[in-house]
């Protein structure tokens, strides 16, 4: 079983478009959408949910006003300023650390499991799929990411498939660390802009810390070819393969509006480039 | 000697669970294969962080000497190591087969974690 | 006044809007880049950064001389950052959330607090505009405490522009909490709409006034505009797809420099937002494109 994770550092560089296209080209894979706090892959994969479950990611403190004597020990101990002057816990600030529960002399604090999201096992146009929705504003997306990846592995084992394609999270924090640890390959999608390069470098640094073979794809290459050249130079210094470049193509948005990956929508410039990139990537990942 | 095996079920014919921290059960055996204790690990299986550390603590508290499992991450290894528990990794098949391999000394003891940590 | 710029979906032009808006404010403005995982505002603002302060999270350090091996610390910790194993107390600093519970509740007072580096907060000037950014250490998982450290630099006397991280989870809420106005930047695509809905839902509990900017407004469909009408979200500006803007962005130029006709529109935008903050509840406004 091999697991390829597509990440980007910077958001909006085409991570999901590329993941969906790879899935269409690979044909025999399981999909995992680990961008749980802005999950978009389902808009292209049209999953039919077969199984769904709530996700409880942690606990939140709740103060019983009937028991509370307003002694102030909890507010003093809380490092997250989550308890108001009238002793109500703000769930958005509560970290679930339980310190208030322990310091309360009259047992007025209870810890309640917090519903953080839902996760799904689905059958989709692009193969079996595990995906999730973090409840807006919730934390712990790293935990939900780990769960989605684990479930995708179980599903892959059961279905006898050999490949998992993971739409990773943006950034370099907890969700993306969760997306890549222990994966077989990472593909970083970037764009030829100064922000794209900046964020690609941070993502590369992160992935290299985990020792995972990594390659780069440059999207919207023709917006600034000189920046594209710079990415090539940086990657060769860092001994990172550039799998290929995708030109700006209005078909990408048109495909999205039609709920299709671009490679199944038309065979224009972007599609041709993605097919070439997939062939190159597939060669480096023996099944 | 107390031998712990990460397992998918409650008896010797159950499959070994390759995950340590998130294993479904731990069976604690004596070298003859007598089950001394079955520990349900459901709390850790569903805890999304620190499962390996907590599972390591459980086995340390149960005074286990050896663990037979599949994969063990860095935090779990640190906990098991502190408890002086030897960790045999990369095992598969049933619990009974893993025990037999251990008795034949046909197992690989980890000198460190054999997988990346899961967050 | 605090104006937070958020987006749901990444790459929709959040930083483009934040930097141009801050620039037209001149000495009245202060730009705070709270997208600490990938801070990009500096690319467009070229600030002279003159201070850099490390931000640490307190993590437990155990004095085994005083420890009685009671195990209370491990029972208290919800994050598996400290645990009693045999006659040893192990700590896992990278798991720690810095709640201080173990040291507070240790009956022997055997636990002091060391620190784990989260990142840095850097400050300086870009021309007349005060500039602040947080930069998360690569490999560090916890961004909210660093975001809070950036927000400590909010100057109530000025107009503070906060560039939020993408998405709709905890770091976004940490950033936009307490803002007077939340400006959502999106694009008129199915992804843009989907992620905008989630972000609006996430921040609407905070009760701040909101508005929307539609970037690359001529690609995709009219669904985002319909959504804004339904939700009575004022559509404050449309920025059509323009190769000049895209190329300027690639080079790291401000939108108002790459396309100077926007300068006046950003001045108007800041006035419009100030008006909306003073008189909340204004219904849908058709943006001039």
């Amino acid at each position: 079983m091999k697991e390829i994770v597509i990440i980007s550092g910077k958001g909006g560089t085409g991570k999901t478009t590329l993941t969906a296209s790879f899935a269409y080209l690979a044909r025999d894979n399981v999909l995992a959408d680990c961008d749980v706090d802005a999950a978009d892959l389902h808009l292209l994969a049209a999953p039919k949910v077969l199984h769904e479950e709530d996700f409880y990611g942690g606990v939140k403190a709740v103060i019983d006003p009937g028991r509370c004597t307003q002694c102030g020990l909890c507010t003093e101990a809380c490092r997250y300023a989550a308890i108001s002057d009238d002793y109500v816990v703000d769930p958005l600030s509560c970290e679930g650390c339980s310190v208030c529960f322990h310091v309360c002399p009259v047992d007025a604090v209870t810890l309640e499991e917090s519903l953080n999201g839902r996760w799904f096992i689905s059958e989709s146009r692009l193969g079996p799929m595990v995906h999730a929705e973090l409840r807006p504003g919730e934390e712990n997306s790293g935990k939900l990411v780990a769960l989605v990846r684990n479930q995708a592995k179980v599903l892959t084992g059961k279905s006898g498939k050999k490949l998992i394609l993971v739409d990773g999270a943006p950034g370099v924090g907890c969700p993306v660390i969760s997306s890549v640890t222990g994966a077989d390959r990472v593909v970083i999608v970037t764009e030829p802009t100064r922000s794209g390069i900046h964020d690609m470098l941070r993502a590369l640094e992160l992935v290299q810390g985990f020792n995972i073979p990594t390659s780069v794809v440059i999207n919207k290459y023709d917006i600034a070819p000189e920046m594209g050249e710079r990415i090539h130079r940086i990657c060769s210094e860092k001994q990172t393969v550039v799998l290929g470049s995708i030109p700006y193509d209005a078909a990408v948005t048109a495909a999205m509006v039609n709920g299709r990956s671009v490679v199944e929508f038309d065979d224009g410039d972007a599609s041709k480039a993605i097919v070439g990139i997939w062939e190159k990537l597939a060669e480096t990942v023996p099944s | 000697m107390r031998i712990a095996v990460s397992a998918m079920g409650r008896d010797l014919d159950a499959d070994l669970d390759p995950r340590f921290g998130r294993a479904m059960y731990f069976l604690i055996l004596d070298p003859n294969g007598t089950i001394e204790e079955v520990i349900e690990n459901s709390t850790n299986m569903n805890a999304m962080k620190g499962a390996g550390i907590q599972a390591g603590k459980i086995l340390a508290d149960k005074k286990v000497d050896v663990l037979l499992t599949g994969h063990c991450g860095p935090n779990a290894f640190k906990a098991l190591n502190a408890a002086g528990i030897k960790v045999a990794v990369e095992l598969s098949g049933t619990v009974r087969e893993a025990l037999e391999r251990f008795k034949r000394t046909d197992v690989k003891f980890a000198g460190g974690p054999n997988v990346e940590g899961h967050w | 006044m605090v104006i937070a710029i958020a987006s749901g979906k990444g790459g929709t032009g959040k930083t483009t809007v934040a930097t141009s808006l801050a620039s037209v404010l001149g000495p009245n403005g202060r730009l705070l880049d709270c997208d600490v995982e990938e801070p990009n505002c500096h690319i467009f603002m070229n600030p002279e950064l003159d201070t850099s302060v490390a931000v640490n999270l307190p993590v437990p350090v155990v004095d085994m001389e005083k420890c009685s091996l009671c195990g209370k610390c491990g029972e208290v910790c919800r994050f598996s950052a400290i645990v009693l194993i045999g006659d040893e107390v192990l700590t896992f600093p990278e798991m720690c959330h810095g709640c201080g519970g173990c040291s507070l509740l240790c009956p022997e007072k055997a636990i002091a607090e060391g620190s784990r580096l989260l990142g840095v907060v850097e400050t300086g000037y870009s021309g007349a505009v005060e500039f602040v950014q947080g930069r998360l250490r690569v490999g560090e998982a916890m961004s909210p405490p660093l975001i809070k450290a950036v927000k400590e630099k909010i100057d109530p006397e000025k107009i503070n522009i906060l560039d939020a991280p993408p998405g709709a989870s905890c770091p976004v809420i940490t950033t936009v909490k307490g803002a007077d106005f939340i400006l959502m930047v999106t694009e008129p695509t199915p992804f843009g709409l989907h992620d905008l809905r989630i972000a609006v839902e996430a921040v609407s509990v905070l009760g701040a006034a909101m508005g929307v900017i539609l970037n690359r407004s001529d690609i995709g469909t009219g669904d985002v505009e319909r959504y804004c009408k339904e939700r009575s979200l004022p559509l404050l500006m449309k920025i059509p797809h323009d190769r000049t803007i895209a190329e300027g962005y690639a080079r790291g130029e401000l939108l108002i420099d790459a396309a100077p006709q926007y300068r006046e529109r950003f001045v108007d935008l800041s006035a419009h937002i100030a008006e909306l903050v003073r008189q909340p509840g204004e219904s849908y406004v058709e943006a001039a494109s």
Side-chain angles (χ1 to χ4, degrees), chain A residues 9-12 37 39-40 42 59 79-80 90 93 95 97 99 137-138 171-173 194-195 198-199 202 222-223 227, chain C residues 10-11 36-40 42 78 97-99 101 113 136 141 167-170 177 194-195 243 247 249-251:
Chain A
K10 176 168 156 46
D37 98 51
D40 289 331
H42 66 279
V59 297
R79 292 246 171 112
Y80 309 103
D90 172 8
S93 297
E95 192 84 5
C97 72
V99 169
E138 284 298 340
V172 293
R194 285 187 58 194
S195 323
H198 176 269
D199 296 354
R202 282 170 68 83
D222 49 336
I223 282 178
M227 290 286 169
Chain C
V36 299
E37 290 186 44
E38 304 289 14
N40 283 156
H42 68 97
R78 306 272 321 174
H97 286 222
C99 74
E113 293 195 306
L136 191 71
S169 65
C170 186
K177 202 176 173 190
H194 178 261
D195 299 350
R243 203 164 171 109
E247 286 171 3
Y249 175 85
R251 288 190 297 266

Side-chain angles (χ1 to χ4, degrees), chain A:
Chain A
M1 189 192 303
K2 298 285 174 191
E3 191 182 24
I4 303 176
V5 186
I6 294 97
I7 61 168
S8 64
K10 176 168 156 46
T13 59
K15 192 167 55 59
T16 304
T17 291
L18 201 63
T19 308
S21 294
F22 285 173
Y24 179 77
L25 296 168
R27 286 185 188 274
D28 199 28
N29 63 276
V30 168
L31 269 175
D33 191 350
C34 286
D35 191 354
V36 298
D37 98 51
D40 289 331
L41 190 56
H42 66 279
L43 297 172
L44 302 183
K48 201 175 128 245
V49 174
L50 304 176
H51 174 87
E52 57 181 299
E53 269 183 49
D54 285 339
F55 169 70
Y56 291 89
V59 297
K60 302 273 182 205
V62 178
I63 297 174
D64 176 357
R67 282 175 171 249
C68 175
T69 59
Q70 312 211 335
C71 70
L73 284 174
C74 57
T75 38
E76 199 182 306
C78 178
R79 292 246 171 112
Y80 309 103
I83 304 169
S84 68
D85 294 338
D86 46 356
Y87 298 94
V88 176
V89 178
D90 172 8
L92 290 176
S93 297
C94 177
E95 192 84 5
C97 72
S98 83
V99 169
C100 54
F101 168 83
H102 287 286
V103 299
C104 179
V106 293
D107 294 335
V109 182
T110 48
L111 300 172
E112 293 184 359
E113 276 205 280
S114 66
L115 177 64
N116 283 24
R118 284 180 85 65
W119 60 274
F120 314 91
I121 296 177
S122 298
E123 192 50 57
S124 85
R125 295 191 316 111
L126 302 172
M129 175 170 174
V130 183
H131 49 124
E133 284 170 6
L134 191 71
R135 293 222 322 187
E138 284 298 340
E139 59 182 348
N140 300 337
S141 55
K143 298 182 186 181
L144 188 52
V145 166
L147 187 147
V148 166
R149 279 183 69 204
N150 285 337
Q151 289 295 329
K153 279 184 194 148
V154 172
L155 187 61
T156 309
K158 276 190 200 153
S159 62
K161 295 191 187 292
K162 298 276 182 256
L163 178 68
I164 308 172
L165 288 168
V166 181
D167 189 354
V172 293
C174 187
V176 69
I177 292 171
S178 260
S179 306
V180 301
T181 47
D184 297 288
R185 281 285 185 292
V186 169
V187 176
I188 301 176
V189 192
T190 186
E191 58 180 32
T193 64
R194 285 187 58 194
S195 323
I197 294 173
H198 176 269
D199 296 354
M200 175 193 80
L201 282 170
R202 282 170 68 83
L204 261 179
E205 190 184 337
L206 179 79
V207 177
Q208 279 165 352
F210 291 110
N211 238 335
I212 307 167
T214 302
S215 44
V216 166
V217 169
I218 310 171
N219 195 10
K220 299 177 216 164
Y221 186 88
D222 49 336
I223 282 178
E226 73 283 4
M227 290 286 169
E229 285 309 313
R230 195 190 289 181
I231 294 173
H232 276 280
R233 277 199 303 278
I234 291 169
C235 287
S236 88
E237 275 167 30
K238 301 208 170 275
Q239 284 153 4
T240 300
V241 175
V242 177
L243 284 171
S245 302
I246 306 165
Y248 178 82
D249 188 340
V252 172
T253 304
M256 191 196 291
V257 168
N258 283 280
R260 292 283 181 276
S261 69
V262 65
V263 286
E264 55 186 314
F265 182 72
D266 78 351
D267 57 357
D269 293 344
S271 293
K272 284 197 189 98
I274 293 173
V275 170
I277 288 164
W278 170 248
E279 285 169 356
K280 219 166 150 185
L281 176 64
E283 265 172 38
T284 69
V285 185
S287 49

Side-chain angles (χ1 to χ4, degrees), chain B residues 31-111:
Chain B
N32 298 321
T34 309
I35 298 179
E36 295 182 347
E37 202 169 341
V38 177
I39 302 165
E40 265 196 55
N41 191 41
S42 53
T43 321
N44 284 328
M45 211 169 82
N46 298 322
M48 294 307 300
K49 267 184 181 176
I53 297 168
Q54 295 304 331
K57 168 150 178 75
I58 289 172
L59 297 191
D61 290 348
K62 296 285 179 186
K63 308 265 184 260
V64 164
D65 301 293
V66 178
L67 165 68
L68 311 181
T69 189
H71 309 295
C72 176
N75 287 344
F77 187 81
K78 183 172 159 187
L80 292 162
N81 199 36
I85 299 172
K86 290 172 90 178
V87 186
V89 291
E90 294 174 23
L91 287 161
S92 56
T94 64
V95 172
R96 193 188 303 276
E97 285 161 7
L99 181 66
E100 288 308 317
R101 279 187 60 182
F102 170 68
K103 281 167 41 180
R104 292 199 305 270
T105 64
D106 175 26
V107 292
K108 182 175 147 194
F109 286 104

Side-chain angles (χ1 to χ4, degrees), chain C residues 48-95:
Chain C
E48 301 244 358
L49 296 172
D50 43 31
T51 64
S52 174
V53 177
V55 177
N56 294 298
L57 189 77
V59 297
V61 178
V62 183
D63 179 350
M64 290 310 290
E65 297 283 307
K66 290 189 190 162
C67 176
S68 63
L69 302 176
C70 72
K72 178 80 178 171
C73 51
E75 284 160 29
V76 168
C77 181
R78 306 272 321 174
F79 310 109
S80 293
I82 187 163
V83 62
L84 173 71
I85 302 258
D87 55 2
E88 215 178 318
V89 177
L90 294 185
T91 60
F92 297 86
E94 74 285 2
M95 309 290 286

